[in-house]
Amino acid sequence: MRIGIAAKLGLVLALVGMLAAGFTGFYAYTASRKLLIDSAKKELLTSTQVLGRRILQAREEGSRNLRTLAHHPAALAALHQADPGREDELAVLFNLLMEANPAYFQIRLISAEDGGLERVRIDRDGTTLLRVDGDELQEKGHYPYVFDALKLAAGQTYMSRIAINNERGSHAALGQPAVQYAMPVMDPKGIARGVIVINVDLDGIFALLAQDLRQEFHLFLTNRQGDFLIHPDSTLTFGFDKGRRILVHEEFPDTRDLVDGRAAHVVTTAKDRRYANKPVVAAFIALQPQVTTDESQVILGLAQPLEKVLKQADALGAVTLQIVAVLCLAGIPVAAVLARAITRPINDLSAAVEHFSDDGHTPNLPLDRRDEIGVLARSVNLLRNQIRQQIADLNRNRHELEHLARHDTLTGLPNRALFDDRVNVAVSAARREDTRLALLFIDLDHFKPINDQLGHAAGDLVLKAVADRILGIIRESDTAARIGGDEFVVLLRNIHGAEDASNVAQKIAQAIEQPLELGGHGVSVSASIGIALYPEDGADVTTLSKRADQAMYRVKQAART
Amino acid sequence: MSRLRFCRALLVPLLAALLPGVVLAVDTLRVLAWPGYADPDVVRVFEQRTNKKVEVTRIDSDEILWQKISHGRAEDFDVFAVNTAELQRYIAAKLVVPIDLGTIRNRTTQLPRFRDLAALPGVMHDGQAYAIPYTYAAMGLIYDRRQIGEPPASIAALWDPRYKGKVLAYNSGTHNFALAAQKIGAASPFTLAERDWPTAVDALIALRRNVLTFYSQPEESAELFVTRQAALLFANYGTQQLQLLRAAGADVGFVLPGEGALAWLDCWAITRGARDKALAAAWIDYLLEPGPSGLLTTRHGLANTRVQPEDHAAGDRLAWLQPVESVERRTQLWERILSGYRASRVLAP
């Protein structure tokens, strides 16, 4: 199959369109994918910072609760001397606070005396709150939340290291990650008589603080050294308690800057080891508790599966792909129309050129276009007109030449060649139709003297007149020809017999004999006419001509004698 | 040439040709050791001297050591290092064999307390020696020279009310009951008589009331000692803690209590499956030489059995760690004491 310019152009236009759409789509996709990941990272960092602020707020709220309790007169009174009334009063307060704060494991009033004996203690035990008293109260003086908190000024908060609570008999808190907040209870002289301690459930408080985070977010918390305290895989937490440290910067190498204090936040992507199959983006921030503590810094982190982030990008990719596909499909007809618009005038022009010689239907040329095609069309049109003119001239000349070749220039009668053709045709027809025809051979008598005496011009006029008179006699279907100087022949078709031919010959002879006026001279000529008949005298033109000629001579002889 | 020697001369190459694997394998000594016990340069000298190859596998916990030896019924190693308390279960499981003391000539250069194997607990069984002492560490008392003028002579210093709130003790049931046993004058720190338990518990409650706190890690102890101005520290990790404190700028002394410092003692033992027991014995003998033993101290800060350390006096008593009567009971009671239980509740069922 021949591929036309329209197809090629259409193909190229369509390809260019598809490529442009494809590249645009691809770059749009990659750029927006990067933007999405960046914005997910930013969002993650913001979420982490919001969570961090909430943690600090929760800590401040804890401090406010501690202050309320530490400054309550019943606290100092209960420490001053064993007074069941004041202790009960305090226990009610503790109870209320425990009810309001589901993440509190315990609230205790601990004395500075008696080895740090607990005085009032409420424990959470499953879903109930339990008041611990009598000899179940324990001595806690050797725990930092007592001996370090006792050294604080009034209203200052102590925060313990975050650790697994191994204190036996602590009910719900036993074996759980916990952190202790404590505040001294001062007597009027400013001497710490005891401490109020709130034992906070680490997982519980984080579950509360992080409850409105997205489901797919994973929460991480580490201590200053990077040991995991909260991790999606709880077996990796508090590794230092089990003799095997598990560190955040081993899982997320970029967080080393946080652990070493070189950065306040780190946003990273983890793709190795445990994240090899499920890469995550993660944001970590360093949090300073801003209270007296050995846990001078914790690192808080949120991670989100990269897959979730990329799901949005994939949706975007699908839309982009659809747009690209639609553009490509739309581009094909547009390319076809465009290609046709350009090639149709060219096709018209080429059709016009092809049909230059035809006078029939020719396509309309876009002559009135003002562009290059219009110029081309006008040039082609001019060329076409010129060529047509020349062809017409050639045809006319050819007709004239043909006429000249087959006619006598003087009389306009067919010449011998044409006459012979006609006789042949007529003979064939007569043979086929079983009709008859006659050939008359006419020779003018005494013509030479006219020529000699009156000049050739006069002779010519005579010959013309003779021709006109012969034509005046014969039927249209008959043919008269001049075959020599003063010799004419006539073909009579469809005659019935020799009499018909004789009658016509008679009439011709009489017509020729009519006098002619030539420049004041009366001229008269006569003619000798020989007749040959088909089929009687011959069956072909040569024989018939010969017989007619012979007959004419016999007539001429007879006339002389 | 006697007929016997002739036969042997014939037989040995024959066997060597028939059993090449066995003969080649005997060219390798398979050693299981703790970090620092068999450094590559130490091993190289032994290899050159004996023209044998030594394969050293390092372990860093008692549990892994037990797994490696017991798993292959002691067939996978020839010689290994183990502390005297742990050694007991290897003897009971018949994973180790007696050592021919005549082949360990360098024993004569060891300190007297290590030469007398019968005085070391758990080394001799049925009159046969199962282990040769190699290195040890004693749990002494570290004191702040500025707060305590005279080095404490007794473990009772931990209970001294003058240092109330300035004592750092170690968080371990096994060791603390041993200390309590020494404090109350029990017959053995490692086996408490039934009547001794309540007294020991009371002693530990008294200790709890006297200490600032109980630590777990050496670094933690050093930090607490310095930041809380402690006066006295029970050094469970021995001289390692002394080094940490001195590095932190503390003016501290180290003393072994008169009751006998709790001490662990690592010995070399030969496995039941040792392929060339003479070669294993030669390895042990080599390590007792001044070169390898000296490196233990100079390179790794571990005490060797040839030279008396500066911090110890020749007459210092050492209470070599032994298996205790019940780890579970000590641990359970200790957890209660640590949690602040009062005496009446500690011993409750």
Side-chain angles (χ1 to χ4, degrees):
Chain A
M1 197 185 82
R2 202 174 63 99
I3 297 174
I5 230 176
K8 281 180 192 161
L9 191 61
L11 205 63
V12 167
L13 285 173
L15 274 177
V16 167
M18 283 178 185
L19 277 177
F23 275 117
T24 311
F26 177 73
Y27 281 108
Y29 171 70
T30 46
S32 53
R33 189 176 187 269
K34 192 178 171 300
L35 277 177
L36 270 172
I37 293 176
D38 286 351
S39 89
K41 282 182 172 174
K42 249 177 233 159
E43 190 193 347
L44 209 55
L45 182 60
T46 309
S47 299
T48 315
Q49 283 162 339
V50 168
L51 185 61
R53 256 195 304 283
R54 276 192 213 162
I55 291 165
L56 289 182
Q57 282 165 358
R59 208 272 304 141
E60 280 163 11
E61 195 197 327
S63 288
R64 279 194 296 278
N65 288 340
L66 278 173
R67 210 166 290 131
T68 308
L69 297 174
H71 288 91
H72 197 281
L76 188 60
L79 289 169
H80 189 60
Q81 59 183 45
D83 179 348
R86 306 312 299 265
E87 284 172 9
D88 292 349
E89 196 181 326
L90 217 49
V92 170
L93 254 177
F94 286 5
N95 246 314
L96 287 173
L97 266 178
M98 293 278 285
E99 278 167 9
N101 294 281
Y104 286 1
F105 274 140
Q106 293 178 310
I107 303 181
R108 291 174 285 175
L109 172 69
I110 296 174
S111 169
E113 305 294 320
D114 308 321
L117 184 65
E118 294 166 333
R119 285 294 175 76
V120 183
R121 167 171 163 185
I122 303 291
D123 280 14
R124 192 174 299 282
D125 187 14
T127 52
T128 59
L129 297 176
L130 192 70
R131 178 158 180 198
V132 177
D133 57 4
D135 67 353
E136 284 192 28
L137 292 171
Q138 299 169 335
E139 294 176 15
K140 302 290 189 185
H142 53 290
Y143 283 102
Y145 59 77
V146 177
F147 65 75
D148 276 341
L150 281 172
K151 292 184 202 139
L152 296 181
Q156 281 191 325
T157 306
Y158 166 87
M159 183 185 126
S160 74
R161 283 244 161 93
I162 299 168
I164 300 287
N165 186 319
N166 286 320
E167 294 180 36
R168 303 289 131 178
S170 55
H171 300 104
L174 184 60
Q176 298 301 315
V179 59
Q180 321 273 348
Y181 291 99
M183 190 175 280
V185 180
M186 298 293 193
D187 71 5
K189 290 177 190 157
I191 296 166
R193 294 296 178 188
V195 287
I196 298 281
V197 180
I198 299 179
N199 186 1
V200 177
D201 172 9
L202 185 75
D203 290 343
I205 192 102
F206 272 86
L208 280 177
L209 294 174
Q211 65 185 351
D212 58 348
L213 285 181
R214 279 203 223 142
Q215 197 72 43
E216 76 245 26
F217 279 9
H218 298 314
L219 180 69
F220 297 89
L221 186 74
T222 83
N223 63 17
R224 184 182 51 185
Q225 289 85 15
D227 297 277
F228 281 117
L229 307 176
I230 297 181
H231 190 286
D233 179 355
S234 61
T235 61
L236 301 182
T237 57
F238 297 95
F240 53 87
D241 254 18
K242 304 160 197 159
R244 186 170 68 104
R245 297 186 67 188
I246 302 159
L247 302 168
V248 66
H249 42 277
E250 285 168 3
E251 194 165 318
F252 301 96
D254 289 349
T255 57
R256 180 164 278 288
D257 285 351
L258 274 182
V259 176
D260 295 346
R262 287 195 300 268
H265 61 78
V266 163
V267 183
T268 181
T269 311
K271 291 175 178 162
D272 303 330
R273 285 183 281 182
R274 61 181 287 120
Y275 299 108
N277 293 327
K278 213 176 175 190
V280 293
V281 282
F284 291 89
I285 59 168
L287 273 184
Q288 279 78 33
Q290 297 166 349
V291 290
T292 306
T293 179
D294 287 321
E295 202 78 89
S296 56
Q297 171 176 298
V298 293
I299 294 168
L300 178 71
L302 284 178
Q304 184 185 20
L306 199 56
E307 187 191 325
K308 296 273 182 186
V309 178
L310 293 183
K311 203 170 252 179
Q312 300 171 39
D314 288 345
L316 192 98
V319 170
T320 311
L321 207 62
Q322 283 168 10
I323 291 172
V324 167
V326 166
L327 278 179
C328 288
L329 287 177
I332 290 168
V334 168
V337 166
L338 209 60
R340 253 189 86 68
I342 292 173
T343 56
R344 198 175 50 192
I346 294 176
N347 287 340
D348 287 352
L349 286 172
S350 66
V353 171
E354 262 177 46
H355 296 98
F356 267 174
S357 52
D358 303 356
D359 275 337
H361 167 75
T362 51
N364 290 326
L365 294 178
L367 298 174
D368 42 6
R369 282 178 73 137
R370 304 183 63 84
D371 53 10
E372 291 82 348
I373 290 188
V375 173
L376 185 58
R378 285 189 289 278
S379 305
V380 167
N381 196 41
L382 189 64
L383 191 63
R384 178 174 68 170
N385 290 343
Q386 284 175 352
I387 289 173
R388 271 197 189 144
Q389 185 58 49
Q390 285 174 6
I391 288 173
D393 289 351
L394 278 173
N395 280 342
R396 202 175 52 248
N397 290 343
R398 184 167 52 83
H399 283 305
E400 281 173 6
L401 282 173
E402 275 175 8
H403 190 80
L404 280 174
R406 298 173 78 86
H407 290 82
D408 171 34
T409 48
L410 181 61
T411 60
L413 291 177
N415 61 11
R416 175 178 286 274
L418 181 55
F419 185 77
D420 285 355
D421 274 356
R422 295 218 176 145
V423 173
N424 277 331
V425 169
V427 167
S428 298
R431 188 180 297 128
R432 196 166 55 243
E433 292 157 11
D434 195 19
T435 54
R436 313 176 76 179
L437 60 79
L439 209 60
L440 308 185
F441 218 101
I442 301 164
D443 187 78
L444 297 183
D445 304 327
H446 316 298
F447 177 68
K448 200 168 181 304
I450 296 170
N451 242 0
D452 292 345
Q453 291 162 17
L454 300 178
H456 284 284
D460 287 350
L461 285 173
V462 171
L463 289 172
K464 272 188 190 168
V466 168
D468 288 343
R469 289 176 185 180
I470 293 170
L471 288 176
I473 301 301
I474 62 176
R475 297 169 297 180
E476 259 185 69
S477 57
D478 298 335
T479 303
R482 177 172 173 243
I483 57 171
D486 53 355
E487 290 173 341
F488 295 85
V489 283
V490 173
L491 167 67
L492 301 175
R493 305 178 65 181
N494 294 323
I495 56 165
H496 296 292
E499 305 85 55
D500 284 354
S502 298
N503 287 341
V504 174
Q506 203 91 43
K507 284 180 191 167
I508 290 172
Q510 284 167 7
I512 291 172
E513 280 167 16
Q514 295 296 314
L516 260 168
E517 193 68 28
L518 278 180
H521 301 278
V523 177
S524 71
V525 287
S526 63
S528 304
I529 301 174
I531 302 171
L533 293 174
Y534 173 88
E536 290 86 344
D537 295 320
D540 58 88
V541 67
T542 316
T543 316
L544 285 170
S545 293
K546 205 171 151 189
R547 289 290 169 82
D549 195 28
Q550 288 167 354
M552 186 276 288
Y553 271 99
R554 277 195 301 276
V555 169
K556 208 170 262 273
Q557 290 287 319
R560 278 185 195 152
T561 57
Chain B
M1 187 186 276
S2 76
R3 183 175 289 179
L4 186 70
R5 282 179 66 188
F6 176 78
C7 283
R8 199 192 288 163
L10 201 68
L11 206 61
V12 169
L14 196 71
L15 273 175
L18 285 173
L19 302 164
V22 172
V23 174
L24 280 177
V26 172
D27 281 344
T28 303
L29 180 70
R30 301 160 305 170
V31 177
L32 198 53
W34 298 72
Y37 285 21
D39 284 350
D41 51 342
V42 171
V43 167
R44 203 153 44 241
V45 171
F46 182 74
E47 286 179 330
Q48 284 163 359
R49 208 185 281 176
T50 57
N51 209 17
K52 306 280 182 179
K53 194 174 164 359
V54 177
E55 268 177 19
V56 179
T57 305
R58 283 190 175 73
I59 35 94
D60 56 9
S61 89
D62 287 333
E63 280 320 301
I64 292 171
L65 175 61
W66 171 251
Q67 280 170 20
K68 289 210 181 283
I69 296 294
S70 62
H71 185 258
R73 290 293 302 150
E75 297 282 355
D76 301 331
F77 297 93
D78 299 313
V79 61
F80 66 101
V82 61
N83 74 52
T84 50
E86 280 288 309
L87 175 66
Q88 305 315 307
R89 57 170 160 169
Y90 293 84
I91 296 173
K94 296 193 166 36
L95 295 171
V96 290
V97 293
I99 298 170
D100 177 2
L101 293 178
T103 57
I104 317 289
R105 292 186 196 88
N106 284 317
R107 285 187 64 244
T108 55
T109 62
Q110 289 186 294
L111 293 169
R113 70 160 48 123
F114 300 109
R115 275 205 298 272
D116 182 8
L117 295 181
L120 298 170
V123 173
M124 302 285 286
H125 274 265
D126 301 329
Q128 292 182 299
Y130 281 84
I132 303 297
Y134 181 51
T135 182
Y136 66 101
M139 303 173 197
L141 296 171
I142 291 174
Y143 60 99
D144 181 355
R145 288 195 227 258
R146 286 166 303 188
Q147 296 187 61
I148 302 176
E150 199 64 21
S154 162
I155 200 75
L158 296 172
W159 279 263
D160 192 329
R162 285 181 294 171
Y163 312 134
K164 184 174 163 64
K166 288 181 165 294
V167 175
L168 291 170
Y170 181 61
N171 179 5
S172 155
T174 340
H175 289 185
N176 283 346
F177 271 100
L179 291 183
Q182 289 183 323
K183 168 74 166 45
I184 64 175
S188 157
F190 309 107
T191 315
L192 276 171
E194 203 49 49
R195 63 186 148 74
D196 288 335
W197 284 100
T199 336
V201 166
D202 283 344
L204 288 182
I205 287 173
L207 178 65
R208 180 185 78 198
R209 289 174 178 163
N210 207 50
V211 299
L212 174 68
T213 193
F214 298 92
Y215 68 88
S216 294
Q217 298 300 320
E219 295 79 11
E220 182 192 0
S221 72
E223 191 192 336
L224 284 167
F225 195 93
V226 173
T227 58
R228 268 67 167 190
Q229 287 96 40
L232 192 61
L233 168 68
F234 173 70
N236 186 71
Y237 299 91
T239 47
Q240 189 186 352
Q241 283 163 291
L242 189 64
Q243 281 179 357
L244 279 170
L245 281 165
R246 285 186 174 153
D251 180 12
V252 286
F254 183 82
V255 65
L256 298 184
E259 292 87 351
L262 299 179
W264 53 260
L265 174 62
D266 267 7
C267 304
W268 287 102
I270 299 177
T271 66
R272 185 186 64 79
R275 290 189 294 223
D276 186 342
K277 295 189 172 62
L279 184 62
W283 166 258
I284 298 172
D285 194 40
Y286 162 68
L287 291 179
L288 297 184
E289 288 178 11
S293 280
L295 279 179
L296 264 183
T297 307
T298 55
R299 188 181 285 168
H300 299 292
L302 294 161
N304 67 65
T305 58
R306 299 172 56 91
V307 180
Q308 189 69 40
E310 296 171 24
D311 301 309
H312 298 195
D316 279 347
R317 288 176 59 195
L318 295 176
W320 300 112
L321 289 182
Q322 295 174 36
V324 297
E325 76 294 302
S326 168
V327 174
E328 294 73 27
R329 189 172 187 190
R330 287 187 177 208
T331 305
Q332 189 207 22
L333 293 179
W334 170 247
E335 282 175 351
R336 290 178 173 183
I337 293 166
L338 180 68
S339 298
Y341 279 47
R342 284 186 273 181
S344 57
R345 312 278 311 175
V346 173
L347 283 166

